[in-house]
Structure formats: structure tokens, C-alpha cells
Amino acid sequence: MMGSIDPILLIASLMVASTPILLAAIGELVTEKAGVLNLGVEGMMIVGAIAGFAMAVETGSPLMGFLGAALAGAALSLIFAFLTQVLLSNQVATGLALTLFGIGFSALIGQGYTGVRPPPTPKMDFGPLSDIPVIGPMLLRHDPMVYVSILIIAAVWAFLKFTRAGLVLRAVGESHDAAHALGYKVVRLRVLAIAFGGACAGLGGAYLSLVRVPQWTEGMTAGAGWIALAIVVFASWRPWRVLAGAYLFGGVTVLQLNLQAAGVAIPVQYLSMAPYLITILVLVLISADRRRAAQNAPASLGRVFHASS
Amino acid sequence: MQRRTLLKSSAAALVAVSLAGPALAQDPLKVGFIYVGPIGDLGWSYQHDQGRLAIEEEFGDKIETVYLESVPEGADAERALTQMAMQGADLIFTTSFGYMDPTINVAAKFPDVKFEHATGYKRADNVATYNARFYEGRAVMGTIAGHMTKSNKIGYIGSFPIPEVIQGINATFIHAQKVNPDVEISVVWAYTWFDPAKEADAAKALIEQGVDVILAHTDSTAPLAEAAKTEGVIGFGQASDMLDFAPSPRVSSIIDDWSPYYIKRVQEALDGTWTSTDTWGGIGEGEVVIGEITDAVPAEVKAEAEALAAAIGDKSYHPFTGPLNKQDGSAWLAEGEVADDGTLAGMNFYVEGIKGDIPQ
């Protein structure tokens, strides 16, 4: 044993490690709530990572970087929206293609940015609050994006639960035909939801390249987008559970690395497997109870909508 | 984990096929490369690709090169290799340990195609193996690390618990301990060759444990980027020079230079003298190069490290020279005895003084 793990530092680094997948997952949740399955999260994340990185390096401002990343992610998702909502292509295939395209495209535009250091993202200044024992170093010494990501969760939750627009969005995801018959603009709403998902995925990617690593490397998302997709299922399409799921997935990774660094003998393979096992377990549980499953998964998820049908 | 590799693999293989070099000239020798990461990793795969560019430069129209990047180790590698062989590659370099069985399997199906597998130990009539003695470089890094650490804790990010990585950990520790008897090493296994976020997290976990020298045996520059965040923490370039992080945190580096080997083997293939061989070159052969030691390191430490590298290069010193005990205290090498290559190639134990177990 070399030492023990400081739980305060552990939770602080867990929050940082989880933020990229948290952002991507909450975006995908909104997309899926509208009845669209976009498997291109990985592609949108990595395009966000390079777009945000390039923007931050060129302007010298991390804020501009995150803005650029959100725009780039949304722009890429609009290609998906055009193909699936206007040309009615298969969502699974189109989403996969979007990931392939994103990985290749980001490598192309990233050529000149390998080895460049981005401008540092400043920490939030909470003044004396940051010095509160335990809570200060654990929760109040992060960069702004950590708090933004939690705010987005809260906003999505409130939007889906309390607003009329949120209700319409859910209606579109549950039964697009019924929503259409009621006069709601199914395609327009879905395009907006897809763009929101893209913007969030872009932010998640930029968080990787600007804060967490921070540098640009080809293929640097290394599967984070797929984990985000798993988290949405794990969370059974509920915003606060997305937060819990992302912190669990991120937390297990950080925890096992910390345990190793601290010299605790644990079989790391089991810890690495844990989140996936839990996801499978959750899937089994929600599908075992049909009534509850119907409540959670949007009924029209992944189905093609055409106004004539 | 499996699911995403599966999806990613089909993805990578589909998009990454790339033809390079002049396509004409009468029947050029087609040389293929399979990389485990993107060539833009600025580490392991980047260096292999530098080797590919070097043979293009050397042989011009006489050869044509093809490469596939980000090919996952395991079953999908077999498909990628088969595809490359069917597209007419004459000589294929498979550049990661995990391609060992796929290479052997595909080679059996294509007896006329020559294969070269990096860092493995299985050979056939048309499969050669090659590796570099990275541990020689690690001995030099260990010396610098032992001198430079103030907390007496050095951290090592391992990829997978395979002999190649364990050699590096042992060589680092032996030489750090030689110059600093109080030094301790903590090892974190990342179970990946390339995942910048995870590599950065691993470095962070080590730094939070008080480590102030980070060595990595993974492929990206992320551990250095993480080290750069904390004042007083240093690290080393791995596989590639990683000069972007000099003079600090990157104080030196181990550079894999595959060009001499690739040029030699392609020449032999062109001449028809190619045979299945096992090559293991180090500092002396120019396959392992010590990157410039920066001014962040005191001059006398720099001189000592350079002298050690020179001694290893001219073979007057071997990094694994007795007396050395295994971790459990049992004798391994007697006074003056030198480890044989067979033991090193299968190394699955820590030397005495390293705490923790190697995951099985």
C-alpha cells in the first residue's frame, strides 16, 4: 500500500471525467425522447472536439471554443436530420455513417493541430466558498463546463416535465402519427431535437480536447460516444438518471485507476465491466415489466415518419 | 467495451484504407502496414508510419505502400489482414502485439505473402518477427527519474501486462533504485494502447498519490499533457519524441526508429533474399533512440544518463545485470550474470522492491 485515496480528490476528478459523456448523453436523451435514434454521437463528439479545439486555439478563448464545438456538432447532426427526416433514410445506418464520417473528417481538419496546446480554461471563481472544507475542493473548484452540464440536465428535466413544448416533444416521440394528427410539426420538432443532441455531443467532445486531456489527438474520443448511448438506456430516458449514470460510468473508471495508483490489489477487469453489467441488468429489468418499459422508452423510437402514412 | 470495439472496428477498416505513393512502374512491390492507433497519435503508430514514409523515400517507384490505421487487436485484425493480402500486398508489417495470432492465421492462408509481426514471438516460414529493446531506453529514463524525483515516487502507466511492458517497468525501477535507494514505483494498468482521456486520468490518479515523475507505455501524448498541469511533475516522450512538451514536463524521450529495419527488410524482399527472422535491436542498432535531454535536468544527471545510454549501445553494459532478485526474494541473476533473451521475451515477474502484483 502506498497510500490511501482521498475521497475529495476522487469525487472532484470523477466529475471532470464524467462531464463529456454526461453532455453527450443528455443531448441524445432529448433526441431519443423525440423518437429519433442517432447513433452518430461518437462522430459528433469528435467533430466537436476538433472544432472546439481549433476555435479556441485560433481565437484564444475557450468560451469561443465551446461555442464553436456546439455549432459544429449541431451542423453535423443536421446532415443526419436531413437524411433521416427529409429523405427518410434508415436511422441506424445513417447514424453509424455519421460516426464514420465524423472520425475521418475530424482527422482531416485536425492535421495542423496535433501537438498544439489550447488556451487553458479558467476555473470558476466562487470566492470564499471554494475554501469551505470538503465541499469547496470537491464541488466548487471546477471549470464552468462542469456546472453548465449539470444546469443542462436540470433544464432538460424541467423542459420535459413542466413545459408544453416538452410535452409536445414527448408526444412526437411516443406516437408521431397521433402528434401529426393533432397538428404538431413532427419533422420540425425532430430536427430541433437532433440539433440539440448534436450541440451537446459537440460540447462533450470539446470538453475532452480543451479541459480533460487537454490536447487534440486523432480518435481521442475513443468510444465515449457509445458509452453515452448506453447511459441513455441505463437511465431509462430520465434526465437525472443520466447524471447518475454518467457519474457512475466515469466514476468507475477513475476509481479503478486511483485504486491501482494507491496500490490496492483489486481485479480491475471486474470494475471495468461493472457499468456494462449494470446496463444489461437495467435493460433486463425494464423489459421484464412491460408496463413500465412502455412508460420509459419512447414508443416511436427509431421509426420513420412520413406524413402520408 | 466489446460492443464499441466491434462497431468501431468495422468503421475504422472501412474508412481507413488508403493508398499512397505512385501507383505505376512495372509491378512494384506492395508493402502493407496495419496500425493499432491513428497515425496522428504522435506516438507508436506515428513512428511506424514514419518508417513507411522512409521506405517510400528510399525505394520510390519500386514499391507501393498501403496502410490501415486504428485496426483493433483481435478478430477484426484477421479480416483486415486478409483483405490486405487479397488486394495484392507482398509484404505486410503488423505493428502491435495483439496482431500475433491473426498474423499467423492469415499467413497460413497466404503462403506467398511475407508477414512481419512487431513485438511478438510466433514465427512461420513467411512470418518474421521484430522488436526493439525498449527496456534499454527505460533504463536511461529510470536513471533520470531516480535523480529527479523529490517525493521518491515515480508512476508508470502500463498498457497491458505483457512482457514488453513488464521489461520496461523492471528496467525503470532497477535504474531508478540504483541512483536513489528510497524510490518507489506505482503502476497503473490502463488496459488500452490508445485512449487519451483514460491515459490522462491515469496520470492524474498517480499525481494525486504524490508521484512526480510519470512514465507511460501507452501511445498518446495525454500523460504529458496531464503532467504539464501540475508544477514540478515531469515525464518522458514515449515511442516518439513528443518535443511539443519540452523542455518540461518532457525532459527526454524514447524514440522508436523503425526506418533502418524497414528499409533493410524491403530491400531483402526486392532482392529475393527475405527469410523469416527474429530481430531485436536496441540503442546499439539505432532502433531505440534517446531523445534530447532538456535543461530541466541537471548537467551531471544528463551526463550520467548519456554515459549509460552509450554503455548500453556499445554492449559493455546490459540493463538486466545481476545481482537481481525477483519480487518474491528468490534469486534471479547472480552477480555479473546477464538476462538471456528468452527470459526477457517471456518476462512475467517484477524484480525485488516493486510493490503490487501483475494482473493475470
Side-chain angles (χ1 to χ4, degrees), chain B residues 275-331:
Chain B
T275 52
S276 168
T277 51
D278 176 28
T279 309
W280 203 9
I283 292 178
E285 290 76 13
E287 280 194 23
V288 175
V289 179
I290 304 298
E292 191 214 341
I293 301 171
T294 67
D295 293 340
V297 178
E300 64 272 17
V301 176
K302 182 177 174 176
E304 186 182 339
E306 282 168 347
L308 181 69
I312 294 171
D314 66 21
K315 315 276 180 207
S316 58
Y317 174 72
H318 190 290
F320 292 105
T321 304
L324 283 173
N325 290 342
K326 294 186 180 180
Q327 188 183 32
D328 57 14
S330 62

Short mmCIF file of all heavy atoms in Angstrom, two decimals, chain B residues 275-331:
data_model
loop_
_atom_site.label_atom_id
_atom_site.label_comp_id
_atom_site.label_asym_id
_atom_site.label_seq_id
_atom_site.Cartn_x
_atom_site.Cartn_y
_atom_site.Cartn_z
N THR B 275 14.05 -13.80 -45.61
CA THR B 275 13.72 -15.04 -44.91
C THR B 275 13.06 -14.68 -43.59
O THR B 275 13.14 -13.53 -43.14
CB THR B 275 14.97 -15.88 -44.60
OG1 THR B 275 15.93 -15.05 -43.95
CG2 THR B 275 15.57 -16.51 -45.85
N SER B 276 12.43 -15.66 -42.96
CA SER B 276 11.80 -15.42 -41.68
C SER B 276 12.87 -15.33 -40.60
O SER B 276 13.61 -16.27 -40.36
CB SER B 276 10.83 -16.58 -41.37
OG SER B 276 10.43 -16.50 -40.03
N THR B 277 12.95 -14.19 -39.97
CA THR B 277 13.97 -13.98 -38.95
C THR B 277 13.34 -13.40 -37.70
O THR B 277 12.17 -13.04 -37.70
CB THR B 277 15.04 -12.98 -39.44
OG1 THR B 277 14.36 -11.82 -39.93
CG2 THR B 277 15.89 -13.57 -40.55
N ASP B 278 14.14 -13.31 -36.67
CA ASP B 278 13.69 -12.67 -35.44
C ASP B 278 14.72 -11.60 -35.09
O ASP B 278 15.87 -11.91 -34.81
CB ASP B 278 13.60 -13.72 -34.32
CG ASP B 278 13.22 -13.08 -32.99
OD1 ASP B 278 12.54 -12.03 -33.01
OD2 ASP B 278 13.61 -13.62 -31.94
N THR B 279 14.31 -10.36 -35.16
CA THR B 279 15.25 -9.25 -34.94
C THR B 279 14.87 -8.51 -33.68
O THR B 279 13.69 -8.22 -33.45
CB THR B 279 15.21 -8.28 -36.14
OG1 THR B 279 15.36 -9.04 -37.33
CG2 THR B 279 16.30 -7.24 -36.03
N TRP B 280 15.85 -8.22 -32.86
CA TRP B 280 15.57 -7.48 -31.62
C TRP B 280 16.69 -6.46 -31.44
O TRP B 280 17.69 -6.76 -30.82
CB TRP B 280 15.46 -8.46 -30.45
CG TRP B 280 14.65 -7.91 -29.31
CD1 TRP B 280 13.92 -6.77 -29.31
CD2 TRP B 280 14.50 -8.49 -28.01
NE1 TRP B 280 13.32 -6.59 -28.10
CE2 TRP B 280 13.65 -7.63 -27.28
CE3 TRP B 280 15.00 -9.63 -27.38
CZ2 TRP B 280 13.30 -7.88 -25.96
CZ3 TRP B 280 14.64 -9.88 -26.07
CH2 TRP B 280 13.78 -9.01 -25.36
N GLY B 281 16.51 -5.31 -32.00
CA GLY B 281 17.54 -4.28 -31.95
C GLY B 281 17.30 -3.30 -30.82
O GLY B 281 16.19 -3.17 -30.32
N GLY B 282 18.35 -2.63 -30.42
CA GLY B 282 18.20 -1.66 -29.34
C GLY B 282 18.91 -0.35 -29.66
O GLY B 282 18.95 0.08 -30.81
N ILE B 283 19.49 0.24 -28.63
CA ILE B 283 20.18 1.51 -28.81
C ILE B 283 21.34 1.34 -29.79
O ILE B 283 21.56 2.16 -30.67
CB ILE B 283 20.68 2.04 -27.45
CG1 ILE B 283 19.48 2.42 -26.57
CG2 ILE B 283 21.60 3.24 -27.64
CD1 ILE B 283 19.85 2.91 -25.17
N GLY B 284 22.08 0.23 -29.65
CA GLY B 284 23.24 0.00 -30.50
C GLY B 284 22.90 -0.09 -31.97
O GLY B 284 23.64 0.38 -32.84
N GLU B 285 21.73 -0.66 -32.28
CA GLU B 285 21.33 -0.84 -33.67
C GLU B 285 20.60 0.40 -34.21
O GLU B 285 20.19 0.43 -35.37
CB GLU B 285 20.42 -2.06 -33.81
CG GLU B 285 21.10 -3.40 -33.60
CD GLU B 285 21.38 -3.71 -32.13
OE1 GLU B 285 20.82 -3.00 -31.26
OE2 GLU B 285 22.17 -4.62 -31.85
N GLY B 286 20.38 1.36 -33.36
CA GLY B 286 19.70 2.58 -33.80
C GLY B 286 18.18 2.44 -33.80
O GLY B 286 17.48 3.34 -34.27
N GLU B 287 17.65 1.33 -33.29
CA GLU B 287 16.19 1.19 -33.28
C GLU B 287 15.57 1.95 -32.11
O GLU B 287 14.43 2.38 -32.17
CB GLU B 287 15.79 -0.28 -33.17
CG GLU B 287 15.87 -1.00 -34.50
CD GLU B 287 15.17 -2.35 -34.47
OE1 GLU B 287 14.29 -2.56 -33.63
OE2 GLU B 287 15.55 -3.19 -35.29
N VAL B 288 16.34 2.04 -31.01
CA VAL B 288 15.87 2.82 -29.86
C VAL B 288 16.80 4.03 -29.74
O VAL B 288 18.02 3.88 -29.67
CB VAL B 288 15.92 1.99 -28.57
CG1 VAL B 288 15.55 2.85 -27.36
CG2 VAL B 288 14.97 0.80 -28.67
N VAL B 289 16.20 5.20 -29.77
CA VAL B 289 16.98 6.44 -29.71
C VAL B 289 16.55 7.22 -28.48
O VAL B 289 15.36 7.30 -28.19
CB VAL B 289 16.75 7.28 -31.00
CG1 VAL B 289 17.54 8.58 -30.94
CG2 VAL B 289 17.10 6.47 -32.23
N ILE B 290 17.51 7.76 -27.75
CA ILE B 290 17.17 8.59 -26.60
C ILE B 290 17.02 10.03 -27.08
O ILE B 290 17.96 10.60 -27.63
CB ILE B 290 18.28 8.52 -25.52
CG1 ILE B 290 18.54 7.07 -25.10
CG2 ILE B 290 17.91 9.39 -24.32
CD1 ILE B 290 17.36 6.38 -24.45
N GLY B 291 15.83 10.58 -26.88
CA GLY B 291 15.58 11.95 -27.31
C GLY B 291 16.37 12.93 -26.46
O GLY B 291 16.77 12.61 -25.34
N GLU B 292 16.57 14.10 -26.99
CA GLU B 292 17.39 15.11 -26.32
C GLU B 292 16.96 15.32 -24.86
O GLU B 292 15.78 15.44 -24.56
CB GLU B 292 17.27 16.44 -27.07
CG GLU B 292 18.27 17.45 -26.63
CD GLU B 292 17.70 18.87 -26.69
OE1 GLU B 292 16.70 19.10 -27.40
OE2 GLU B 292 18.25 19.74 -26.00
N ILE B 293 17.95 15.31 -23.97
CA ILE B 293 17.65 15.55 -22.55
C ILE B 293 17.70 17.06 -22.33
O ILE B 293 18.69 17.71 -22.63
CB ILE B 293 18.68 14.82 -21.65
CG1 ILE B 293 18.63 13.31 -21.95
CG2 ILE B 293 18.41 15.09 -20.18
CD1 ILE B 293 19.73 12.50 -21.30
N THR B 294 16.58 17.60 -21.83
CA THR B 294 16.47 19.06 -21.79
C THR B 294 17.19 19.65 -20.58
O THR B 294 17.66 18.93 -19.69
CB THR B 294 15.00 19.50 -21.72
OG1 THR B 294 14.48 19.08 -20.47
CG2 THR B 294 14.19 18.92 -22.85
N ASP B 295 17.22 20.99 -20.53
CA ASP B 295 17.93 21.69 -19.46
C ASP B 295 17.21 21.61 -18.12
O ASP B 295 17.74 22.05 -17.10
CB ASP B 295 18.12 23.16 -19.83
CG ASP B 295 19.08 23.29 -21.01
OD1 ASP B 295 19.83 22.32 -21.24
OD2 ASP B 295 19.04 24.32 -21.70
N ALA B 296 15.98 21.07 -18.14
CA ALA B 296 15.29 20.87 -16.87
C ALA B 296 16.02 19.83 -16.01
O ALA B 296 15.80 19.73 -14.81
CB ALA B 296 13.84 20.42 -17.12
N VAL B 297 16.90 19.07 -16.64
CA VAL B 297 17.67 18.05 -15.94
C VAL B 297 19.07 18.61 -15.65
O VAL B 297 19.71 19.15 -16.55
CB VAL B 297 17.78 16.77 -16.81
CG1 VAL B 297 18.63 15.72 -16.14
CG2 VAL B 297 16.41 16.24 -17.15
N PRO B 298 19.55 18.49 -14.41
CA PRO B 298 20.89 18.99 -14.09
C PRO B 298 21.97 18.34 -14.98
O PRO B 298 21.82 17.18 -15.38
CB PRO B 298 21.10 18.58 -12.63
CG PRO B 298 19.73 18.35 -12.08
CD PRO B 298 18.88 17.92 -13.24
N ALA B 299 23.03 19.11 -15.25
CA ALA B 299 24.04 18.66 -16.21
C ALA B 299 24.67 17.33 -15.82
O ALA B 299 24.90 16.47 -16.67
CB ALA B 299 25.12 19.73 -16.34
N GLU B 300 24.92 17.12 -14.50
CA GLU B 300 25.60 15.88 -14.13
C GLU B 300 24.68 14.66 -14.31
O GLU B 300 25.13 13.58 -14.67
CB GLU B 300 26.17 15.95 -12.70
CG GLU B 300 25.17 16.09 -11.58
CD GLU B 300 24.81 17.55 -11.27
OE1 GLU B 300 25.09 18.43 -12.12
OE2 GLU B 300 24.25 17.81 -10.19
N VAL B 301 23.37 14.87 -14.10
CA VAL B 301 22.42 13.78 -14.32
C VAL B 301 22.35 13.46 -15.82
O VAL B 301 22.36 12.30 -16.23
CB VAL B 301 21.02 14.16 -13.80
CG1 VAL B 301 20.01 13.07 -14.11
CG2 VAL B 301 21.07 14.42 -12.31
N LYS B 302 22.34 14.52 -16.60
CA LYS B 302 22.30 14.36 -18.05
C LYS B 302 23.51 13.56 -18.52
O LYS B 302 23.39 12.62 -19.31
CB LYS B 302 22.27 15.74 -18.71
CG LYS B 302 22.19 15.70 -20.20
CD LYS B 302 22.09 17.12 -20.77
CE LYS B 302 22.16 17.07 -22.29
NZ LYS B 302 21.98 18.37 -22.91
N ALA B 303 24.69 13.93 -17.99
CA ALA B 303 25.92 13.25 -18.39
C ALA B 303 25.87 11.78 -17.99
O ALA B 303 26.25 10.88 -18.76
CB ALA B 303 27.13 13.93 -17.74
N GLU B 304 25.34 11.51 -16.79
CA GLU B 304 25.27 10.13 -16.33
C GLU B 304 24.34 9.31 -17.22
O GLU B 304 24.65 8.17 -17.59
CB GLU B 304 24.77 10.12 -14.87
CG GLU B 304 24.80 8.75 -14.24
CD GLU B 304 24.24 8.77 -12.81
OE1 GLU B 304 24.21 9.85 -12.18
OE2 GLU B 304 23.83 7.70 -12.33
N ALA B 305 23.19 9.92 -17.57
CA ALA B 305 22.22 9.22 -18.41
C ALA B 305 22.82 8.95 -19.79
O ALA B 305 22.65 7.86 -20.35
CB ALA B 305 20.94 10.06 -18.53
N GLU B 306 23.53 9.94 -20.32
CA GLU B 306 24.11 9.75 -21.65
C GLU B 306 25.20 8.69 -21.63
O GLU B 306 25.35 7.90 -22.57
CB GLU B 306 24.65 11.08 -22.19
CG GLU B 306 23.51 11.96 -22.70
CD GLU B 306 23.94 13.40 -22.98
OE1 GLU B 306 25.05 13.79 -22.56
OE2 GLU B 306 23.14 14.12 -23.62
N ALA B 307 25.97 8.67 -20.53
CA ALA B 307 27.01 7.65 -20.41
C ALA B 307 26.39 6.26 -20.35
O ALA B 307 26.89 5.30 -20.97
CB ALA B 307 27.86 7.90 -19.16
N LEU B 308 25.28 6.15 -19.62
CA LEU B 308 24.60 4.86 -19.52
C LEU B 308 24.10 4.42 -20.90
O LEU B 308 24.28 3.26 -21.30
CB LEU B 308 23.43 4.95 -18.54
CG LEU B 308 22.63 3.66 -18.34
CD1 LEU B 308 23.46 2.64 -17.59
CD2 LEU B 308 21.34 3.94 -17.58
N ALA B 309 23.49 5.36 -21.63
CA ALA B 309 22.98 5.04 -22.97
C ALA B 309 24.13 4.58 -23.87
O ALA B 309 23.98 3.61 -24.64
CB ALA B 309 22.29 6.26 -23.58
N ALA B 310 25.27 5.24 -23.75
CA ALA B 310 26.42 4.86 -24.58
C ALA B 310 26.92 3.47 -24.22
O ALA B 310 27.24 2.65 -25.09
CB ALA B 310 27.54 5.89 -24.41
N ALA B 311 26.95 3.17 -22.91
CA ALA B 311 27.43 1.85 -22.47
C ALA B 311 26.49 0.75 -22.94
O ALA B 311 26.92 -0.34 -23.33
CB ALA B 311 27.55 1.83 -20.95
N ILE B 312 25.19 1.05 -22.91
CA ILE B 312 24.23 0.05 -23.40
C ILE B 312 24.40 -0.12 -24.91
O ILE B 312 24.37 -1.22 -25.45
CB ILE B 312 22.78 0.46 -23.05
CG1 ILE B 312 22.56 0.45 -21.54
CG2 ILE B 312 21.78 -0.46 -23.73
CD1 ILE B 312 21.24 1.05 -21.09
N GLY B 313 24.64 1.02 -25.58
CA GLY B 313 24.77 1.00 -27.04
C GLY B 313 25.95 0.17 -27.51
O GLY B 313 25.85 -0.59 -28.48
N ASP B 314 27.09 0.29 -26.81
CA ASP B 314 28.25 -0.48 -27.27
C ASP B 314 28.33 -1.85 -26.58
O ASP B 314 29.36 -2.54 -26.65
CB ASP B 314 29.55 0.32 -27.11
CG ASP B 314 29.91 0.60 -25.65
OD1 ASP B 314 29.41 -0.13 -24.77
OD2 ASP B 314 30.67 1.55 -25.39
N LYS B 315 27.24 -2.22 -25.92
CA LYS B 315 27.08 -3.56 -25.32
C LYS B 315 28.03 -3.81 -24.14
O LYS B 315 28.20 -4.96 -23.74
CB LYS B 315 27.28 -4.68 -26.35
CG LYS B 315 26.58 -4.47 -27.67
CD LYS B 315 25.12 -4.92 -27.61
CE LYS B 315 24.49 -4.68 -28.98
NZ LYS B 315 23.06 -4.47 -28.92
N SER B 316 28.66 -2.77 -23.60
CA SER B 316 29.52 -3.02 -22.44
C SER B 316 28.67 -3.14 -21.17
O SER B 316 29.15 -3.58 -20.15
CB SER B 316 30.55 -1.89 -22.31
OG SER B 316 29.89 -0.64 -22.18
N TYR B 317 27.40 -2.74 -21.25
CA TYR B 317 26.53 -2.87 -20.08
C TYR B 317 25.17 -3.38 -20.54
O TYR B 317 24.64 -2.94 -21.55
CB TYR B 317 26.37 -1.52 -19.37
CG TYR B 317 25.36 -1.56 -18.24
CD1 TYR B 317 25.65 -2.22 -17.05
CD2 TYR B 317 24.12 -0.96 -18.39
CE1 TYR B 317 24.71 -2.29 -16.03
CE2 TYR B 317 23.17 -1.02 -17.36
CZ TYR B 317 23.48 -1.69 -16.19
OH TYR B 317 22.54 -1.76 -15.19
N HIS B 318 24.61 -4.31 -19.78
CA HIS B 318 23.26 -4.81 -20.05
C HIS B 318 22.35 -4.35 -18.91
O HIS B 318 22.70 -4.52 -17.75
CB HIS B 318 23.29 -6.35 -20.13
CG HIS B 318 22.01 -6.94 -20.63
ND1 HIS B 318 20.84 -6.92 -19.91
CD2 HIS B 318 21.71 -7.57 -21.81
CE1 HIS B 318 19.88 -7.51 -20.62
NE2 HIS B 318 20.38 -7.90 -21.78
N PRO B 319 21.17 -3.77 -19.23
CA PRO B 319 20.30 -3.25 -18.17
C PRO B 319 19.87 -4.31 -17.16
O PRO B 319 19.56 -3.97 -16.01
CB PRO B 319 19.09 -2.71 -18.93
CG PRO B 319 19.61 -2.41 -20.29
CD PRO B 319 20.66 -3.44 -20.57
N PHE B 320 19.83 -5.57 -17.56
CA PHE B 320 19.48 -6.61 -16.60
C PHE B 320 20.74 -7.41 -16.26
O PHE B 320 20.97 -8.49 -16.80
CB PHE B 320 18.39 -7.52 -17.15
CG PHE B 320 17.06 -6.84 -17.30
CD1 PHE B 320 16.58 -6.47 -18.55
CD2 PHE B 320 16.28 -6.56 -16.17
CE1 PHE B 320 15.35 -5.83 -18.68
CE2 PHE B 320 15.05 -5.92 -16.30
CZ PHE B 320 14.59 -5.55 -17.56
N THR B 321 21.57 -6.82 -15.39
CA THR B 321 22.79 -7.49 -14.94
C THR B 321 22.67 -7.77 -13.45
O THR B 321 22.26 -6.89 -12.69
CB THR B 321 24.01 -6.58 -15.20
OG1 THR B 321 24.04 -6.22 -16.58
CG2 THR B 321 25.30 -7.29 -14.84
N GLY B 322 23.01 -9.00 -13.04
CA GLY B 322 22.92 -9.39 -11.62
C GLY B 322 23.88 -8.60 -10.76
O GLY B 322 24.77 -7.91 -11.27
N PRO B 323 23.73 -8.63 -9.45
CA PRO B 323 22.74 -9.46 -8.75
C PRO B 323 21.34 -8.85 -8.77
O PRO B 323 21.18 -7.69 -8.43
CB PRO B 323 23.28 -9.48 -7.32
CG PRO B 323 24.03 -8.20 -7.17
CD PRO B 323 24.58 -7.87 -8.53
N LEU B 324 20.38 -9.68 -9.17
CA LEU B 324 18.99 -9.23 -9.16
C LEU B 324 18.11 -10.34 -8.62
O LEU B 324 18.29 -11.51 -8.98
CB LEU B 324 18.52 -8.87 -10.58
CG LEU B 324 18.98 -7.54 -11.17
CD1 LEU B 324 18.55 -7.45 -12.62
CD2 LEU B 324 18.41 -6.37 -10.38
N ASN B 325 17.16 -9.97 -7.77
CA ASN B 325 16.20 -10.94 -7.26
C ASN B 325 14.84 -10.66 -7.85
O ASN B 325 14.53 -9.53 -8.24
CB ASN B 325 16.10 -10.84 -5.73
CG ASN B 325 17.36 -11.36 -5.06
OD1 ASN B 325 18.15 -12.08 -5.68
ND2 ASN B 325 17.54 -10.97 -3.82
N LYS B 326 14.02 -11.70 -7.87
CA LYS B 326 12.63 -11.49 -8.26
C LYS B 326 11.89 -10.86 -7.10
O LYS B 326 12.39 -10.78 -5.99
CB LYS B 326 11.99 -12.83 -8.64
CG LYS B 326 12.60 -13.46 -9.89
CD LYS B 326 11.84 -14.71 -10.30
CE LYS B 326 12.48 -15.30 -11.56
NZ LYS B 326 11.79 -16.50 -12.02
N GLN B 327 10.65 -10.43 -7.39
CA GLN B 327 9.87 -9.70 -6.38
C GLN B 327 9.72 -10.50 -5.09
O GLN B 327 9.77 -9.94 -4.00
CB GLN B 327 8.48 -9.40 -6.96
CG GLN B 327 7.64 -8.50 -6.07
CD GLN B 327 6.24 -8.30 -6.65
OE1 GLN B 327 5.69 -9.17 -7.30
NE2 GLN B 327 5.68 -7.12 -6.41
N ASP B 328 9.54 -11.83 -5.20
CA ASP B 328 9.33 -12.65 -4.00
C ASP B 328 10.64 -12.92 -3.24
O ASP B 328 10.64 -13.64 -2.25
CB ASP B 328 8.65 -13.97 -4.37
CG ASP B 328 9.44 -14.76 -5.41
OD1 ASP B 328 10.62 -14.42 -5.64
OD2 ASP B 328 8.88 -15.70 -6.00
N GLY B 329 11.74 -12.35 -3.71
CA GLY B 329 13.00 -12.50 -2.99
C GLY B 329 13.86 -13.65 -3.51
O GLY B 329 15.03 -13.76 -3.13
N SER B 330 13.30 -14.47 -4.39
CA SER B 330 14.10 -15.58 -4.92
C SER B 330 15.14 -15.02 -5.90
O SER B 330 14.94 -14.00 -6.54
CB SER B 330 13.20 -16.60 -5.62
OG SER B 330 12.55 -15.99 -6.72
N ALA B 331 16.27 -15.73 -5.97
CA ALA B 331 17.36 -15.25 -6.81
C ALA B 331 17.01 -15.38 -8.28
O ALA B 331 16.40 -16.37 -8.70
CB ALA B 331 18.63 -16.04 -6.50
#
